[in-house]
Amino acid sequence: MSFANKVVLVTGASSGIGASTAILFSKEGANVSMVGRNETKLRNVAEQCAAVGNKPLVIIADVSNDNDAKRIITETVDTFGKLDILVNNAGLGKPGCIADGSIVEAYDVIFKVNVRAVMQLTSLATPHLIKTKGNVVNISSAAAMTTPISPDSLSYYVSKAALDHFTRGAALELSSYGVRVNSVNPGPVFTDFLDNAGINAKFEELTNRTALNRVSQPEEIANMIAYLAGDNAVGITGSTFVVDNGILLKK
Ligand SMILES: NC(=O)c1ccc[n+]([C@@H]2O[C@H](COP(=O)([O-])OP(=O)(O)OC[C@H]3O[C@@H](n4cnc5c(N)ncnc54)[C@H](OP(=O)(O)O)[C@@H]3O)[C@@H](O)[C@H]2O)c1
């Protein structure tokens, strides 16, 4: 699968799934624009991209900040001349419960990044994606399709369900311009997600909750993202692709 001459924007590329995705697209010949807030981690991933492909564009930015969102799109198009693929991967969790009154604080933090920023970046990217007949891949979660594993993760689950509905609606609106929109919905994946969310658990603990008795590596999710972004998926839009080792089967 070659992405030579394609311009790919990956948010949350400093870590985990986004980092693997940036490296994979670089390896396949794309010009990659990488976004994150942690400069040290982002530059480290950029070096890995450059080692296997073109030198990526590094954009230190917060996707939930409107000015940063505009800058992300402008810098990408100014540098590479166009945009073919937007991967809305940046995301986070934050514990919050209904009963102790902390749910709205978690909702505000989570929705700003997992939903609002995706809608904002997709809207800003759309004029450029129309020109290239490009596409969007949103990184959702199996969480969108089931009840929370623990009560304090409800806002995260609601955010990913909202994201899936956005994927379908955006796919319908943008279909008339020849722009596709899909999502990948992972189950547990070994990344820094739990640490970054302040959740005191380990991904290993989720292994026996999956039908296949395993947790994914981020590269497995990157492969599905690349498939959906590529020309072999020309007929796929508005779809949510579960890569969860069968965790939903066991719920
Ligand atoms: N790991 C899993 O089990 C799993 C399962 C299902 C879905 N997902 C989804 O996969 C996506 C990637 O998560 P991950 O597992 O790879 O976790 P991760 O290792 O914590 O990576 C999250 C990425 O998002 C970026 N990010 C967060 N807030 C941001 C902001 N405001 N502005 C810019 N970048 C921001 C982080 O970069 P900085 O810190 O540099 O800003 C980081 O690069 C998320 O949408 C997550 O919900 C993960």
Side-chain angles (χ1 to χ4, degrees):
M1 195 180 336
S2 171
F3 287 91
N5 302 317
K6 298 287 185 191
V7 177
V8 184
L9 169 55
V10 183
T11 68
S14 59
S15 171
I17 294 167
S20 289
T21 304
I23 294 166
L24 177 61
F25 277 114
S26 298
K27 201 170 153 195
E28 297 302 332
N31 280 312
V32 175
S33 176
M34 319 171 49
V35 177
R37 295 164 302 176
N38 185 318
E39 182 166 1
T40 307
K41 286 173 81 175
L42 203 54
R43 294 210 182 277
N44 180 284
V45 179
E47 277 177 26
Q48 296 177 59
C49 290
V52 294
N54 299 324
K55 187 172 179 239
L57 172 65
V58 171
I59 304 177
I60 315 298
D62 178 342
V63 293
S64 69
N65 176 295
D66 285 354
N67 288 331
D68 280 11
K70 286 179 197 139
R71 184 165 59 80
I72 288 166
I73 302 298
T74 307
E75 276 189 30
T76 300
V77 174
D78 285 354
T79 304
F80 295 126
K82 62 171 184 163
L83 177 64
D84 295 285
I85 296 156
L86 168 63
V87 182
N88 282 311
N89 165 77
L92 46 74
K94 180 179 166 62
C97 290
I98 299 170
D100 71 5
S102 59
I103 193 158
V104 173
E105 194 187 331
Y107 168 94
D108 284 342
V109 170
I110 291 170
F111 263 68
K112 228 175 145 189
V113 175
N114 293 10
V115 183
R116 188 181 185 279
V118 172
M119 296 172 84
Q120 170 78 292
L121 281 170
T122 303
S123 177
L124 292 167
T126 288
H128 306 287
L129 295 174
I130 289 173
K131 283 185 201 154
T132 55
K133 299 273 181 268
N135 69 83
V136 180
V137 182
N138 295 324
I139 311 312
S140 179
S141 171
M145 301 168 176
T146 187
T147 46
I149 207 161
S150 66
D152 65 357
S153 52
L154 180 56
S155 288
Y156 178 76
Y157 278 57
V158 174
S159 78
K160 294 300 189 181
L163 179 58
D164 281 5
H165 220 50
F166 175 71
T167 294
R168 288 183 284 271
L172 183 60
E173 179 181 340
L174 300 185
S175 59
S176 57
Y177 302 102
V179 173
R180 300 184 295 110
V181 185
N182 292 291
S183 84
V184 178
N185 296 49
V189 185
F190 287 115
T191 69
D192 296 342
F193 183 86
L194 294 175
D195 289 343
N196 289 337
I199 295 168
N200 190 17
K202 297 269 169 261
F203 279 113
E204 287 83 352
E205 294 161 17
L206 296 173
T207 306
N208 62 6
R209 289 184 184 250
T210 70
L212 293 176
N213 204 35
R214 68 187 294 278
V215 170
S216 287
Q217 295 295 334
E219 291 77 14
E220 298 167 37
I221 312 304
N223 282 329
M224 178 57 92
I225 295 168
Y227 176 75
L228 289 173
D231 290 342
N232 286 339
V234 68
I236 302 177
T237 198
S239 291
T240 47
F241 281 78
V242 173
V243 184
D244 74 337
N245 295 296
I247 202 168
L248 290 176
L249 296 174
K250 284 191 74 171
K251 284 282 276 187

